């Protein structure tokens, strides 16, 4: 256990506590929320350190009393037995955590191989994440979507946010960061007349939503084009050039949005996605510098590049990264994802304790 690191984090906790006690900070809600999130991340560490310090003090007192009265020997022994558990808990909390764990996310789902069936499956994934968010009291918002002819989605960007400051600093990212990759489905498509099982896939990209302080964007680096929306008809849709496409020239990243009625609203939504992608790209570069073995979440939306398989005939869900299998696919698609997400979280925890900084992705 690094006493220097512990002292530094406890000092940071004390400074954040002082900042939050100052009414002036709440004049800037974005700053207050950011400080509150970091404070919430450090609360478990502060509590564990306090419990360990108190236990050590109690042990010293019990041993001192036992020297005069043997009846205190049992209490001293009991306290001594509890120390390794408290020390292990504190050591675990001192392991560097994912810096984005407290953040909200943008989930992008793209249909891949499989044509209309893939778009229908992408729509199933969208509903799955939306229902999971509802179960946790999170707020969802479809930023942009391109629907398919049969009611699926070709491409959708979904914002998922916590309400207020997440407890323990465990925001949406801490749960859904495992979902990035290719998801494969095996079932009889509605378009199949002979009852044959088909395999198709959809790609999921999970991005921590960036704040203005996370990413600096020079407006001179942007090319902004406007065009006519291509979605279903409606007031102002398909009649005005309200859709917006933004190209970040230094990186070549392109985002577009056409869901909103006004060009200004579409531009704001597109900028949210662009900030998230730039933050993810910067993080990926930093991770790649530290580990050449790091793999991107989505390389190609191909049936073979899968992290998870959803088998409808067997009502089975399988996560290939950790060998997890459960026969509750219907419940998972209804938003009950905690089983597989808990297993992924535990696998990551075990890897970090063993000194591996990243969960094996395949």
């Amino acid at each position: 256990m690094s006493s220097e690191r512990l002292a530094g984090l406890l000092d940071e906790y004390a400074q954040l506590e002082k900042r939050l006690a100052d009414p002036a900070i709440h004049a800037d809600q974005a700053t207050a929320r950011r400080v509150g999130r970091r404070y919430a991340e450090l609360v478990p560490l502060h509590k564990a350190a306090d419990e360990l310090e108190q236990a050590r003090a109690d042990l010293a007192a019990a041993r001192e009393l036992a020297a005069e009265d043997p009846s205190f020997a049992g209490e001293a022994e009991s306290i001594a037995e509890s120390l390794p558990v408290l020390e292990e808990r504190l050591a675990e909390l001192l392991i560097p955590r994912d810096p984005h764990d407290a953040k909200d996310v943008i989930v992008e789902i793209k249909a891949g191989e499989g044509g209309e069936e893939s778009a229908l499956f992408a729509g199933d994934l969208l509903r799955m994440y939306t229902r999971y968010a509802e179960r946790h009291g999170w707020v969802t918002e479809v930023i942009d979507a391109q629907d398919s002819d049969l009611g699926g989605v070709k491409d959708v960007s979904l914002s998922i946010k916590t309400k207020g400051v997440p407890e323990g600093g465990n925001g949406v990212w801490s749960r859904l960061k495992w979902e990035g990759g290719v998801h494969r489905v095996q079932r009889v498509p509605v378009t199949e007349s002979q009852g044959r099982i088909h395999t198709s896939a959809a790609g999921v990209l999970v991005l921590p939503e960036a704040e203005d302080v996370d990413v600096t964007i020079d407006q001179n680096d942007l090319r902004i084009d406007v065009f006519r929306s291509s979605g279903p008809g409606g007031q102002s849709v398909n009649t005005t050039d309200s859709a917006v496409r933004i190209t970040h020239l230094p990186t070549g990243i392109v985002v577009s949005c056409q869901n909103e009625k006004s060009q200004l609203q579409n531009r704001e939504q597109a900028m949210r996605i662009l900030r998230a992608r730039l933050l993810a790209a910067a993080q990926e570069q930093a991770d790649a510098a530290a580990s050449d073995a790091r793999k991107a979440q989505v390389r190609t939306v191909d049936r073979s590049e899968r992290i998870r398989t959803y088998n409808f005939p067997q009502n089975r869900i399988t996560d290939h990264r950790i060998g997890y299998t459960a026969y509750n696919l219907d419940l998972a698609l209804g938003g009950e994802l905690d089983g597989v997400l808990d297993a992924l979280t535990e696998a990551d925890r075990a890897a970090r304790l063993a000194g591996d900084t990243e969960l094996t992705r395949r």
Side-chain angles (χ1 to χ4, degrees):
M1 180 185 311
S2 171
S3 57
E4 185 176 330
R5 174 171 167 75
L6 175 60
L9 291 173
L10 292 178
D11 182 62
E12 182 184 359
Y13 172 89
Q15 294 300 321
L16 292 172
E17 193 171 41
K18 286 182 181 178
R19 290 188 68 185
L20 289 172
D22 183 356
I25 194 176
H26 299 287
D28 184 345
Q29 288 300 309
T31 299
R33 191 173 191 217
R34 186 170 63 255
V35 172
R37 282 180 169 181
R38 179 55 179 162
Y39 177 79
E41 288 180 12
L42 295 176
V43 166
L45 177 73
H46 179 264
K47 182 179 178 182
D50 269 359
E51 289 178 353
L52 180 57
E53 183 179 357
Q54 185 61 54
R56 286 172 173 167
D58 290 344
L59 177 59
R63 282 176 172 170
E64 185 177 338
L65 291 170
E68 301 176 2
D69 184 348
S71 65
F72 285 96
E75 182 179 350
E77 184 178 346
S78 176
I79 296 172
E81 289 176 353
S82 72
L83 286 182
V85 176
L86 295 173
E87 289 170 347
E88 182 180 352
R89 171 62 175 157
L90 184 57
E92 183 179 329
L93 290 169
L94 281 171
I95 297 173
R97 66 183 293 169
D98 188 324
H100 299 313
D101 272 352
K103 288 186 178 292
D104 300 321
V105 305
I106 293 175
V107 178
E108 297 185 358
I109 306 171
K110 300 178 185 294
E113 290 188 2
E116 190 63 45
E117 163 62 7
S118 178
L120 289 170
F121 177 52
D124 291 337
L125 293 177
L126 172 62
R127 283 185 290 275
M128 180 179 76
Y129 293 129
T130 300
R131 289 168 181 167
Y132 182 74
E134 290 170 353
R135 289 174 178 272
H136 285 263
W138 298 337
V139 179
T140 62
E141 174 194 6
V142 174
I143 299 176
D144 194 42
Q146 296 181 37
D147 298 331
S148 69
D149 294 335
L150 296 182
V153 290
K154 298 177 182 177
D155 193 342
V156 61
S157 296
L158 176 71
S159 165
I160 307 180
K161 294 177 174 288
T162 58
K163 293 180 181 178
V165 175
E167 184 178 351
N170 295 314
V172 183
W173 173 260
S174 71
R175 294 300 285 170
L176 293 187
K177 60 185 173 183
W178 316 116
E179 294 305 288
V182 175
H183 296 239
R184 183 176 68 170
V185 63
Q186 296 171 328
R187 65 182 176 189
V188 179
V190 294
T191 54
E192 169 60 53
S193 59
Q194 298 182 27
R196 293 173 298 186
I197 296 174
H198 287 223
T199 298
S200 60
V204 175
L205 184 63
V206 184
L207 305 169
E209 180 148 13
E211 301 176 39
D212 291 338
V213 296
D214 295 325
V215 177
T216 300
I217 299 177
D218 187 339
Q219 294 298 312
N220 294 324
D221 289 338
L222 302 180
R223 185 177 72 232
I224 301 176
D225 302 305
V226 295
F227 57 97
R228 191 154 297 180
S229 298
S230 59
Q235 290 186 347
S236 345
V237 179
N238 295 323
T239 60
T240 61
D241 291 337
S242 60
V244 173
R245 181 186 299 109
I246 300 178
T247 303
H248 186 250
L249 300 175
T251 61
I253 294 175
V254 180
V255 297
S256 61
C257 187
Q258 62 179 5
N259 267 31
E260 305 296 339
K261 293 181 179 180
S262 80
Q263 188 180 120
L264 178 61
Q265 289 174 314
N266 281 323
R267 174 172 173 157
E268 290 175 350
Q269 299 288 46
M271 286 297 292
R272 286 177 63 188
I273 299 174
L274 177 60
R275 279 194 295 269
R277 289 192 186 177
L278 287 173
L279 177 63
Q283 185 66 53
E284 189 167 322
Q285 289 177 355
D287 290 346
S291 172
D292 293 335
R294 185 179 187 277
K295 299 180 177 67
Q297 288 188 66
V298 178
R299 292 200 293 252
T300 58
V301 185
D302 182 277
R303 285 187 292 251
S304 62
E305 294 286 337
R306 85 280 189 215
I307 62 166
R308 191 176 297 154
T309 295
Y310 304 75
N311 184 293
F312 276 70
Q314 298 178 20
N315 195 36
R316 170 173 54 84
I317 179 171
T318 300
D319 195 288
H320 305 286
R321 294 164 294 185
I322 57 173
Y324 173 93
T325 295
Y327 293 88
N328 61 349
L329 175 58
D330 52 341
L331 297 178
L333 289 174
E336 295 186 22
L337 281 173
D338 280 328
V340 62
L341 295 182
D342 285 345
L344 286 160
T345 299
E346 179 56 30
D348 178 69
R349 172 185 168 277
R352 288 177 181 273
L353 285 173
D356 186 0
T357 58
E358 186 176 356
L359 174 69
T360 302
R361 292 191 180 274
R362 305 197 191 282

